[in-house]
Amino acid sequence: MPDGGPVPDAVPSVPDATPIEGPIADERVDLPVTDSRTIHAGYVFDIVAETVDLGAAGTVHREFMKHPGAVAVVALDDAERVLLLRQYRHPVRSYLWEVPAGLLDVADEPLVDAAARELAEEADLRAGRWDTLVDYYTSPGGSDEALRIFLARDLGELPDGDRFTREGEEAGIQLRWVPLADAVAMVMAGDLHNPSAVAGLLALQAARATGLSGLRPADAPWVR
């Protein structure tokens, strides 16, 4: 350090984290709920208010969105391109580039079947191979929505007679095949904001480091 230069402040020591036995993994628990009521019953989701007992920490009151859950699909073709679709999303007043996705709104439907249905309805495609890419909660501080993203490969187009008529926001969907490296660069540049696209593309890029050998099967257990 040159003579006369400023003396840096001492860096405070960081205490060690409290050790936890076993692997680091999210854990499902059911703490006692002492009160629960529906504030708003909506078309897709409800808003509920609950009081939960945290034990020694006391009780807390929380309002959150109760959601049926959803699936999304990263479709990868033989040229290492991924399918993105452009769709209007009114709450954020934006046209977003996304991956095919949809609600779990069919009772007892297997997750991969729901994903295949969405790929067909939104992209007119079917897939010969399905793997689990990544799971996440969309906003765990304010919603119980859980989402699984699948990787779809061995793609083929649906025959004209099996294609769906899109309505509402889906009627104006535009499709684009984008090299995976370019799509990841768009995420890192802040050009893509849809959470399933961001999580799915980055997860696929990470999985390619092991040649996709570490992917879970399509019917892997789901934390929800």
Side-chain angles (χ1 to χ4, degrees):
M1 176 183 300
D3 292 342
V7 178
D9 295 334
V11 177
S13 61
V14 178
D16 292 335
T18 303
I20 298 177
E21 299 284 336
I24 296 177
D26 294 340
E27 179 185 2
R28 171 78 182 190
V29 296
D30 288 305
L31 298 181
V33 175
T34 60
D35 182 65
S36 180
R37 60 191 177 90
T38 299
I39 299 173
H40 169 74
Y43 176 68
V44 174
F45 54 80
D46 298 338
I47 302 298
V48 301
E50 293 189 344
T51 301
V52 59
D53 186 351
L54 301 179
T59 60
V60 294
H61 180 78
R62 294 291 180 265
E63 296 177 358
F64 63 93
M65 179 175 70
K66 195 167 186 62
H67 194 281
V71 290
V73 183
V74 176
L76 181 69
D77 72 5
D78 294 337
E80 288 288 297
R81 299 180 305 172
V82 292
L83 179 66
L84 298 179
L85 53 89
R86 184 175 183 262
Q87 185 172 352
Y88 178 67
R89 295 299 187 181
H90 185 69
V92 293
R93 307 300 200 271
S94 299
Y95 284 97
L96 300 182
W97 285 97
E98 309 180 349
V99 295
L103 298 172
L104 294 173
D105 53 5
V106 177
D108 300 322
E109 183 179 32
L111 298 180
V112 68
D113 290 356
R117 174 168 50 84
E118 294 299 333
L119 184 63
E121 291 180 0
E122 295 191 349
D124 300 323
L125 292 175
R126 57 190 172 193
R129 177 167 182 175
W130 292 88
D131 297 280
T132 295
L133 192 53
V134 68
D135 301 329
Y136 71 100
Y137 291 118
T138 56
S139 183
S143 171
D144 70 350
E145 180 183 9
L147 200 145
R148 167 162 286 183
I149 305 178
F150 290 93
L151 175 64
R153 289 178 283 174
D154 299 339
L155 304 171
E157 293 188 358
L158 288 178
D160 290 342
D162 294 338
R163 297 190 177 192
F164 294 82
T165 300
R166 302 184 186 106
E167 301 175 343
E169 291 95 335
E170 294 182 350
I173 281 179
Q174 299 178 29
L175 306 179
R176 185 82 60 86
W177 288 98
V178 180
L180 174 60
D182 292 349
V184 170
M186 293 172 190
V187 171
M188 301 308 296
D191 294 330
L192 302 183
H193 301 88
N194 174 267
S196 296
V198 170
L201 294 171
L202 295 183
L204 177 54
Q205 180 76 346
R208 290 179 74 252
T210 59
L212 304 182
S213 62
L215 293 179
R216 291 170 290 156
D219 61 352
W222 199 33
V223 68
R224 191 166 186 266

